[in-house]
Amino acid sequence: MTLGSALGVSCLAAALTIPGIVAAYDARVTTRSVQQGEGGNAVYQEFLDPYGSRPMRRVFVARTGPGSLPVPPGITRLPDAGQAVVSPKLGEILASNPGAGGLVPGRVIGTISPAGLGGPDELYAYIGTRPSLLAQAAPLGQFGTTYAQHELLEPSTLDILRFTLGCIVLLPLVIFLSVCARLSGESRARRLAALRLIGLSVKDTLRVNAGESVVAAFVGAVIGLVCFLGVNEVMAHIGLPGLRWYPADGRPEWTTVFVCLLGCPALAWGVGQFSARRAAQSPISVRRTGESRQPRKYGTLVLIPGLGIIGGYCLLSAIGWDPSGGSGSSVLVPSAVLMTGAGLVFGLAPITSWLAHRLAVSSKSLPLSLAMRRTEVDPGSALRVVTGLVLLVFGASLTQGVLIELDQVTRRTAPVQEYSLPTGQLTPSQQSRMAVLDGVRAHASIAESWVVPGDKDLPKVQGLVATCAQLAVFTRSTADCVDGKVLRIEDPGFLSDEDARPGAGYPFLLSDGRKLLVSVPRDAVTVHAYDPSEFAGPSLLIPPSLLPRGTQLAGARFVLASSSDPATVRSVLDGIGGVAPTASVEPVGIVIDSLAQLTVIRSLLVVGMVLGLVIGVSAFVVSVADRAMERRGQVAALVLLGARASTLRVVQVVQVLLPLAVGLGGAVVAGWLAESSYLITGGGAVHWDWEGLPLLFACALGVMLAAALASVPMVRRHVDPEHIRRD
């Protein structure tokens, strides 16, 4: 009970602290938010740019008059023109990469303290400059607001995270602590029954059990909190992908400490009272082997409305009706998920008992008959063994749905991701290195035709410099493309460019100052471009061979293409940042903040799955070991009757695998339906996660194999006379 409470409280503290880490990050970011004012003596302009796959914020401040300036948290004063104050991580980048010096013009005079940063890895800078250099300056008012800005996670995403962690961590945790308390109480049942038989009252017997359970659970809770504090200090320095926090952020608040130190003993007391009541009220049935009560079937009824709701949403989607967008879904789907999870737990014992009875009647095998009869008369022990693992698989399917939904929200639905950079910020060498980055599939450049400066009324067209193969990568489809020729670009999905009339000529300015005259031909290439895309507007396809050697179109944008997989996008952005750290990168169709949020939410959900795995495996190990101890008398009797060791081991394995197979099968089916209903009501393009279904089956088979192997050593042929005497 003590060790189980320690492990459980460590996982509980970790799950409860995750929202606290996010809240601490958001609180510090909010206190430094820049607000506009009136009649101030300074102006500012804020920039958000990607440095690789990470967001970087820079606040340029320019003084316009005498007087004191407001000071944000984390620094002592705002920098003057030609000075800068940067975060420690950005300072490390500037020191190790001289090419990144253009990101922060001026001399670095200090670093921002933790009070002014969301986390240790944040890229942030205050840069002093002159008002004439700020194109969109706003009057500087104050720092800090009463409402959250630039949150680490969107509020809706944070709510989803809380619900998912509750399903994959807190529910198995309650089951695990209940198992520990129940097993602890049952191990003392014979002693409590003996105390009752020698004259101790029912109330005093329950008090003895409650006192032992509460003390053991409280000691375990204290140990668990101490262990969590140590783990937090280590993990705060290591961090997670996309998220690092200060150690103080991860230390549990007093409410968390209160819940851990009082909640765990309270749960132990409640379960202990239930498990010891039989020993106090009927001590004879405990001291002598008696028939156990059959499990109630009422718990199975909880499964019916849960499956009915999520199955109804799936049916509506299957017949072609889209039920997304309603406000009722935000309440019905989470409620149905909770009811389904509870139904899997409470319905497992009666279903297993009924199935074991059917198999025992029809079986001709001695090991199978023994295993099924034992499971039939005591299905509650099977419930203790497999509940944690069943909830783990059910939670894993739900987690897959959350990740798919977030992935749809934060990235392009198109299979191609584009990256647009100004060629004026790139050297030819940098362009060549970017074109061969890992993950980059094609590159091209886009520019407008040249017009006389100051005359904006002259017609212009956009030219795309690319080969037919490169054009095919950037678009859904191409037709009638011929390399080496200038072609008009026609896209049925967009309005045609009226200025691109056949026979008209347009000059394009080259990088060496010369002009390239291009005539609009009659021949055209038909394309179907993605939306949004840099390729949804060009009017002319210009072959690269038409440009003089060593030149490119002036004022063009250099565009790269890769797959839209988030891992590939992050890899390409990191590669671009390594080649040209000061270039302005525009990932077409995505927001860099959203990409960073997806990384954070993936990391936190992985942490939740790891915690759920630890809890589920621990509950399984504890329960299997307890069942082996509990059945020592029966095993000893079977050995005296001549049962072979192989027979006993088969019985043990089958006793574990039957309820596990029933529970995991139900978890896979119910979990996949719950995941699908979540995706359907989310309104995304993906409604059915067919790719994740084989993974769930593989996980279930892996769990069953591990459970079978772990059950074999639990059977011993040692005959203890004490066990025979008791039976």
Side-chain angles (χ1 to χ4, degrees), residues 134-154:
L134 298 179
Q136 298 177 347
L140 176 62
Q142 63 179 5
F143 292 93
T145 63
T146 56
Y147 55 91
Q149 289 187 350
H150 310 307
E151 300 100 328
L152 179 64
L153 297 176
E154 294 290 339

Side-chain angles (χ1 to χ4, degrees), residues 313-330:
Y313 278 115
C314 294
L315 180 61
L316 290 175
S317 178
I319 63 177
W321 190 68
D322 186 10
S324 64
S327 58
S329 302
S330 60

Side-chain angles (χ1 to χ4, degrees), residues 467-527:
T467 64
C468 291
Q470 292 169 336
L471 181 64
V473 173
F474 282 97
T475 56
R476 286 192 178 93
S477 63
T478 62
D480 303 324
C481 186
V482 180
D483 278 320
K485 291 179 59 177
V486 177
L487 299 171
R488 284 187 302 110
I489 298 178
E490 292 184 350
D491 190 336
F494 295 88
L495 294 176
S496 59
D497 188 357
E498 296 180 355
D499 294 329
R501 297 185 302 273
Y506 291 94
F508 286 85
L509 185 64
L510 298 176
S511 56
D512 61 1
R514 293 182 294 172
K515 297 181 181 64
L516 175 68
L517 182 62
V518 179
S519 298
V520 179
R522 293 187 178 276
D523 296 336
V525 54
T526 303
V527 303

Side-chain angles (χ1 to χ4, degrees), residues 31-34 69-78 115-116 124 126 143-144:
T31 58
R32 73 168 186 215
S33 299
V34 193
L69 298 178
V71 180
I75 62 176
T76 56
R77 68 177 181 88
L78 286 172
Y124 203 88
Y126 296 99
F143 292 93

Side-chain angles (χ1 to χ4, degrees), residues 611-652:
L611 293 176
L613 178 64
V614 170
I615 294 168
V617 172
S618 300
F620 172 78
V621 171
V622 169
S623 300
V624 169
D626 177 78
R627 288 195 70 198
M629 299 293 288
E630 178 185 321
R631 294 182 60 248
R632 286 179 301 179
Q634 300 167 7
V635 171
L638 290 173
V639 170
L640 290 180
L641 290 174
R644 298 177 179 178
S646 58
T647 300
L648 297 177
R649 291 192 177 95
V650 171
V651 170
Q652 173 70 10

